[in-house]
Amino acid sequence: MNLDNYIKKRVKYRIITADTCVYCDKAKKLMENFNIDYEEHNVSNNDIREDFKKQGFKTVPQIWNEKNEHIGGYDDLKSYIYDSQWKHIDGYKGE
């Protein structure tokens, strides 16, 4: 693998969205701003919607990280990203 490909390699998150969801758009934009690659699944797909409901979710977006750990919605994603950016600094306690 050459260096350019290594640098461009990004983490893949998963996001469940809906067509008219403003917070879904914000979450996708936030991940793009931090170069986080994601795969999107929309609840307009019947199979996805049924699975989404079976898991007990009622709101979108719902986001999982590269380890398949559930992050939550947009606000949770924002905290997760910003906290991970700063946690290496001594004394940082989070938001």
Side-chain angles (χ1 to χ4, degrees):
M1 170 184 294
N2 70 34
L3 187 57
D4 287 337
N5 287 337
Y6 180 77
I7 291 170
K8 291 178 184 175
K9 185 177 179 185
R10 296 183 274 176
V11 173
K12 185 156 264 194
Y13 282 40
R14 286 185 308 120
I15 180 171
I16 307 294
T17 62
D19 291 335
T20 58
C21 171
V22 173
Y23 286 101
C24 298
D25 294 338
K26 287 182 174 191
K28 291 187 292 184
K29 184 68 174 171
L30 182 63
M31 288 189 282
E32 289 165 8
N33 288 343
F34 279 89
N35 290 325
I36 298 170
D37 196 17
Y38 62 89
E39 59 184 40
E40 180 178 359
H41 303 277
N42 194 297
V43 293
S44 65
N45 176 304
N46 288 333
D47 292 337
I48 291 172
R49 183 173 46 250
E50 289 305 313
D51 192 41
F52 186 74
K53 288 179 182 178
K54 284 179 187 175
Q55 292 183 37
F57 296 114
K58 296 179 181 176
T59 61
V60 289
Q62 292 298 322
I63 303 148
W64 288 261
N65 68 14
E66 76 283 3
K67 297 176 185 172
N68 203 31
E69 298 167 332
H70 184 247
I71 295 171
Y74 169 70
D75 288 333
D76 301 311
L77 174 66
K78 194 165 64 169
S79 294
Y80 182 85
I81 289 173
Y82 289 123
D83 284 350
S84 69
Q85 295 294 312
W86 293 102
K87 68 181 171 185
H88 66 281
I89 296 174
D90 289 338
Y92 178 70
K93 304 288 188 223
E95 289 185 44

